[in-house]
Amino acid sequence: MERNNYHTRAGIECLNCCIYNYLSNENQAISKSDIFFSGGGYEICYSWGNGHKIKSGQNRSNLQFIRTYLEGSMIDNVLETHEGEMKAFLKEALWNGRRLIINVSGSGLPYNKAFDRNQTVSHFINLIGINTEKNLVKISDGCMPAVGGGCYEDWMDMDALTENWQMMNGRYIEINYKHPDIRTIKETAYKNMRKGIKKYLHKDKAWFCSRVGGHQAILRLFEDIKVMIESNTKNSLEIIRDINQQLRVEGYLSSKEFLLEKIQEMGCREELAASYQHIIREYDMICLNVMKSVIKKKPEDMEVLIHQIQHSVQEENKILKEVLQNVLPF
């Protein structure tokens, strides 16, 4: 048994994509950025002290969206991680058409092309079918762990899947809803987006605090990385790997992708959207080169990247100020 006419659509972030695919496949006129912004995403901040954390509220926005707009859904469920119990649960749930999102390790998926297989990397996928005779489960992954992303929709051995699922303690989310108010979701998303942009543009100069927000977040982070290289900080490579994960996977860059989608939905000038897409590519390349600077232990390379990020921030801010001048599409 499998979901009829289900088609896996590509997304920006895995859990957001799981939610989006269930809704869009059931003809709910919603976008990925609607979920992100209406759930309160785009609160960009950077903090240090016990660790370097740069966040966009990405994970929180997914869960808040479910709580607010998909009444009846279940979040943070944990199944007994006994293989027999897990397989019995999957058979019952999928035969009855329940909308399951399970938390697996992206590094343990057979089609993984990006993550180190020796790591346990949190990832979310939808389960859309089951074949008990062949011991197979059909999975849907619209944000597959591969360079360049892409979609994966195919059958997977149930034993291999449950073994992977056990790594994440059998955590799952079940999506339920009656009639989500799409208009309210979209209106809230646009309002939150505008509010978020205004906060992002705010010139927060309180660098002496342990936290800084908006566009100053990335600038302060890069300054701290330069100091880390200059002082030959212990475990600097491990620290920068974690920062790279935060920037490129856990929300900072993807928040800009969600914003680009909203810019396009608003009907802004094509040149404006193209310029912002170019800015995102610049950010991505700069963040990638940060790792190289740390490996080489060359603070002079980091100085170049700081000038590049300063330029990108200035150009991005110009674009965002123009976005705020556009009338909302309702």
Side-chain angles (χ1 to χ4, degrees), residues 135-157:
N135 198 44
L136 298 174
V137 177
K138 193 168 190 180
I139 67 175
S140 164
D141 189 342
C143 194
M144 61 186 293
V147 176
C151 297
Y152 184 90
E153 181 181 316
D154 207 345
W155 296 94
M156 182 174 173
D157 179 75

Side-chain angles (χ1 to χ4, degrees), residues 31 33-34 37 42 186-198 256-270 272-273 276 319-330:
S31 67
S33 56
D34 285 333
F37 285 108
Y42 201 63
K186 287 188 172 293
E187 289 179 355
T188 302
Y190 281 117
K191 290 175 182 176
N192 285 352
M193 178 205 68
R194 291 178 66 86
K195 187 188 302 181
I197 290 176
K198 290 176 181 178
K256 299 184 186 301
E257 294 281 358
F258 287 123
L259 186 50
L260 174 62
E261 184 178 80
K262 271 284 166 278
I263 290 173
Q264 294 167 331
E265 286 180 3
M266 289 173 66
C268 294
R269 293 185 301 109
E270 288 186 13
L272 191 70
Y276 197 64
I319 293 171
L320 296 182
K321 287 175 182 177
E322 184 173 338
V323 171
L324 289 176
Q325 296 173 2
N326 281 262
V327 179
L328 296 180
F330 50 78

Side-chain angles (χ1 to χ4, degrees), residues 59-78:
N59 187 57
R60 187 194 70 242
S61 69
N62 293 320
L63 301 180
Q64 189 58 44
F65 174 83
I66 296 172
R67 291 189 189 97
T68 305
Y69 300 106
L70 304 182
E71 186 177 357
S73 296
M74 295 186 290
I75 301 175
D76 286 333
N77 303 287
V78 177

Side-chain angles (χ1 to χ4, degrees), residues 6-36 62 65-66 70 99 101 126 140-143 151 175 177 182 186 258 261 265:
Y6 182 100
H7 174 67
T8 302
R9 297 165 170 85
I12 296 169
E13 180 271 330
C14 61
L15 182 51
N16 175 283
C17 189
C18 286
I19 301 166
Y20 166 73
N21 266 311
Y22 275 132
L23 292 171
S24 61
N25 272 285
E26 295 175 15
N27 299 315
Q28 301 296 331
I30 197 168
S31 67
K32 299 174 284 289
S33 56
D34 285 333
I35 296 169
F36 177 71
N62 293 320
F65 174 83
I66 296 172
L70 304 182
R99 306 181 192 93
I101 301 172
N126 287 348
S140 164
D141 189 342
C143 194
C151 297
I175 298 296
Y177 63 88
I182 301 298
K186 287 188 172 293
F258 287 123
E261 184 178 80
E265 286 180 3

Side-chain angles (χ1 to χ4, degrees), residues 228-264:
M228 190 188 308
I229 298 173
E230 290 173 334
S231 59
N232 197 23
T233 302
K234 185 180 179 181
N235 300 325
S236 59
L237 187 56
E238 288 76 8
I239 293 171
I240 199 63
R241 279 176 176 160
D242 185 49
I243 291 173
N244 188 55
Q245 174 84 5
Q246 293 174 48
L247 289 170
R248 296 171 59 80
V249 178
E250 295 176 5
Y252 182 79
L253 287 176
S254 57
S255 69
K256 299 184 186 301
E257 294 281 358
F258 287 123
L259 186 50
L260 174 62
E261 184 178 80
K262 271 284 166 278
I263 290 173
Q264 294 167 331

Side-chain angles (χ1 to χ4, degrees), residues 166-217:
Q166 284 175 327
M167 296 183 200
M168 307 309 292
N169 300 316
R171 183 188 174 201
Y172 71 96
I173 295 170
E174 183 170 351
I175 298 296
N176 288 303
Y177 63 88
K178 294 181 180 178
H179 302 288
D181 189 342
I182 301 298
R183 181 176 176 83
T184 297
I185 291 171
K186 287 188 172 293
E187 289 179 355
T188 302
Y190 281 117
K191 290 175 182 176
N192 285 352
M193 178 205 68
R194 291 178 66 86
K195 187 188 302 181
I197 290 176
K198 290 176 181 178
K199 286 185 177 181
Y200 186 81
L201 294 172
H202 180 66
K203 295 181 179 179
D204 185 351
K205 294 294 185 182
W207 280 32
F208 55 86
C209 297
S210 61
R211 172 173 166 156
V212 63
H215 69 275
Q216 295 288 345

